[in-house]
Amino acid sequence: LKEYMESILEHANALIMVTDTNRQVLVYNETAARVLGFGKQEVLGQDLIRLVPPEDRDLLTTEISRLIEGKPSEAGMEIHLRNREGQLVQIVFHLALLKDHRGDADSIILVGQDLTPLRRLERQIIEAEKMASLGKLAAGIVHELNNPLTSISVYAEYVLKKLESGSLDSKDIEKVRKILEGANRIQKLTRDLVSYSRPAEEEPELTDLNEVVRQGISFCEHTIRKYDIVTNLELASDLPPLLAIRNQLLQVVINLVTNSCQAMEGGGELTVSTERRNDHVLLQVADTGVGIPDSHLNKLFEPFFTTKKSGQGTGLGLSIVARIVEHHRGRIEVESSSGEGTAFSIMLPLGGPGNHEKKYA
Ligand SMILES: Nc1ncnc2c1ncn2[C@@H]1O[C@H](COP(=O)(O)OP(=O)(O)OP(=O)(O)O)[C@@H](O)[C@H]1O
Ligand SMILES: [Mg+2]
């Protein structure tokens, strides 16, 4: 029976170790030897801590002391061990206390699972997902480029033929205008794509959000007028300046205001407000437009998600907003009810973009 038990212990698909209360290794099974690359003679009788890199040592010693004091053990402690080649191997261990016949702490049994293959798989999945969204992005770009490019080449060819045969007349001016329209659309697309993929070009500076809102609104003036919209500004007078990339915030305001206007075909009310909330500021853009159906809420921020007619919306506006807000370590909330309107709330921390924090601390 003893042999049978030993063979189970040796060949179980888990790292099994037993130490005394001073962490001296008493049992070290085959699987542990295989994962770590150290032979039994190198580990048995040694302090277990020698296998643990310095930054994880506390975790292990605290856990062992807790067990010896009779406290319940953590469910699954993740630590690293150093293998023979000096590489870190991530293991999740379950620890248990063994007592002697008097009921005193005798030894600690550690049963561990190597997480490295699992983590590798996780990374591969994340990578694959990134590639998939890159593929989607590329397909979207190609689609968006194709329409205006087709009209440009069709009309250019038409004008060229007419020029060659000497029959071009003033009615053909429409065709040239179409060519220009196509070129403008491509220009807007490329600009949007650049702000989507590279939103962080400038340094953050202390920014007055109210002033950014006023400027954003004035940039959208012609859209606001076109849709016959009444604007209310409710800007907090005690708003502290926040560390931010000004032009990016401007872009956020413009994109949100544009969307709101487009959601109010027959006119409506646009309310842009700012507010201080502890160490955040709140920017809210609310409209009395068509609203967003629940089923669209989770796709809203995806690049190229649009419900607008081809040529009217690319679906990049909100994905740019999301990128910028994320870069500023902020948060976005959307509230909407069908037929009544939509409110986008953006919370921005006063501290600004994460990776610039130190410079301004
Ligand atoms: N305020 C709003 N009210 C109703 N629907 C909205 C509002 N804002 C966004 N949406 C919906 O979200 C979709 C995506 O918006 P987004 O700004 O990303 O793209 P778009 O406006 O369609 O195109 P683009 O901004 O690139 O010109 C819109 O097509 C629309 O369906
Ligand atoms: Mg938009």
Side-chain angles (χ1 to χ4, degrees):
L1 180 71
K2 184 159 178 279
E3 239 169 68
Y4 179 62
M5 293 302 277
E6 261 171 18
S7 136
I8 288 180
L9 185 143
E10 286 301 344
H11 301 290
N13 187 23
L15 292 81
I16 301 176
M17 300 187 223
V18 179
T19 73
D20 65 15
T21 49
N22 296 318
R23 295 189 314 251
Q24 273 213 0
V25 181
L26 306 173
V27 172
Y28 174 80
N29 78 341
E30 202 67 52
T31 307
R34 183 167 46 75
V35 171
L36 297 176
F38 293 110
K40 288 188 196 244
Q41 66 291 352
E42 291 173 282
V43 176
L44 288 175
Q46 302 286 339
D47 188 340
L48 177 65
I49 210 81
R50 293 177 54 176
L51 293 173
V52 183
E55 59 276 16
D56 283 1
R57 287 185 179 171
D58 267 358
L59 204 66
L60 181 68
T61 51
T62 325
E63 184 63 11
I64 291 180
S65 322
R66 278 169 50 91
L67 276 177
I68 293 175
E69 285 163 24
K71 297 198 181 117
S73 90
E74 279 294 311
M77 171 187 63
E78 273 188 50
I79 64 168
H80 292 92
L81 297 182
R82 205 174 278 289
N83 70 11
R84 195 183 193 102
E85 276 91 58
Q87 292 157 334
L88 294 180
V89 189
Q90 202 176 6
I91 315 270
V92 55
F93 271 117
H94 293 268
L95 274 63
L97 183 72
L98 294 179
K99 294 179 181 166
D100 59 21
H101 59 275
R102 288 195 308 267
D104 290 337
D106 178 72
S107 48
I108 313 286
I109 172 160
L110 299 97
V111 179
Q113 207 69 53
D114 182 6
L115 288 179
T116 314
L118 200 67
R119 292 287 181 260
R120 194 178 311 130
L121 200 64
E122 256 172 30
R123 273 198 304 278
Q124 279 169 0
I125 290 171
I126 291 171
E127 222 29 62
E129 252 166 32
K130 270 195 209 149
M131 290 307 289
S133 47
L134 194 65
K136 255 201 228 161
L137 194 68
I141 295 169
V142 169
H143 179 81
E144 283 302 319
L145 276 177
N146 255 339
N147 289 331
L149 275 177
T150 307
S151 74
I152 288 173
S153 56
V154 166
Y155 290 118
E157 207 167 317
Y158 173 90
V159 172
L160 185 68
K161 281 218 179 89
K162 284 241 169 156
L163 270 175
E164 278 168 352
S165 62
S167 61
L168 196 71
D169 60 53
S170 61
K171 272 183 285 172
D172 296 324
I173 198 161
E174 253 329 290
K175 310 288 189 290
V176 180
R177 201 165 276 138
K178 292 266 199 259
I179 294 175
L180 201 61
E181 252 169 47
N184 287 339
R185 267 175 61 189
I186 293 175
Q187 208 163 41
K188 177 177 183 302
L189 174 70
T190 50
R191 262 201 307 267
D192 283 355
L193 278 171
V194 169
S195 29
Y196 172 71
S197 63
R198 247 189 315 140
E201 289 205 68
E202 292 152 55
E203 288 291 305
E205 54 188 327
L206 282 176
T207 306
D208 176 357
L209 182 62
N210 287 342
E211 186 261 331
V212 172
V213 168
R214 282 191 209 98
Q215 184 170 21
I217 296 278
S218 82
F219 280 179
C220 297
E221 207 52 65
H222 83 276
T223 317
I224 292 173
R225 228 173 301 128
K226 178 172 145 199
Y227 287 90
D228 201 14
I229 283 156
V230 182
T231 40
N232 311 310
L233 292 190
E234 294 171 4
L235 307 181
S237 55
D238 63 341
L239 205 67
L242 76 156
L243 198 54
I245 299 167
R246 194 183 172 285
N247 279 335
Q248 293 188 5
L249 294 193
L250 189 62
Q251 174 105 58
V252 167
V253 173
I254 293 171
N255 289 6
L256 292 180
V257 168
T258 308
N259 281 347
S260 282
C261 292
Q262 291 168 339
M264 297 186 282
E265 282 279 5
E269 228 173 276
L270 171 77
T271 306
V272 184
S273 53
T274 58
E275 207 178 293
R276 175 169 195 162
R277 297 252 175 107
N278 300 319
D279 56 348
H280 282 71
V281 295
L282 169 72
L283 166 69
Q284 193 176 64
V285 177
D287 62 57
T288 56
V290 290
I292 301 170
D294 281 352
S295 59
H296 289 171
L297 285 177
N298 59 343
K299 292 183 252 172
L300 228 45
F301 298 98
E302 278 177 17
F304 298 111
F305 173 75
T306 181
T307 57
K308 290 164 195 169
K309 283 200 288 270
S310 166
Q312 287 192 358
T314 327
L316 283 177
L318 284 179
S319 64
I320 293 171
V321 168
R323 276 279 191 121
I324 293 175
V325 171
E326 193 184 314
H327 181 64
H328 284 80
R329 294 186 302 155
R331 230 165 8 91
I332 308 181
E333 275 165 29
V334 190
E335 257 177 276
S336 188
S337 62
S338 210
E340 281 176 39
T342 305
F344 280 83
S345 301
I346 298 201
M347 308 282 288
L348 294 165
L350 294 174
N355 45 346
H356 294 280
E357 203 171 43
K358 287 209 178 64
K359 232 184 270 179
Y360 291 82

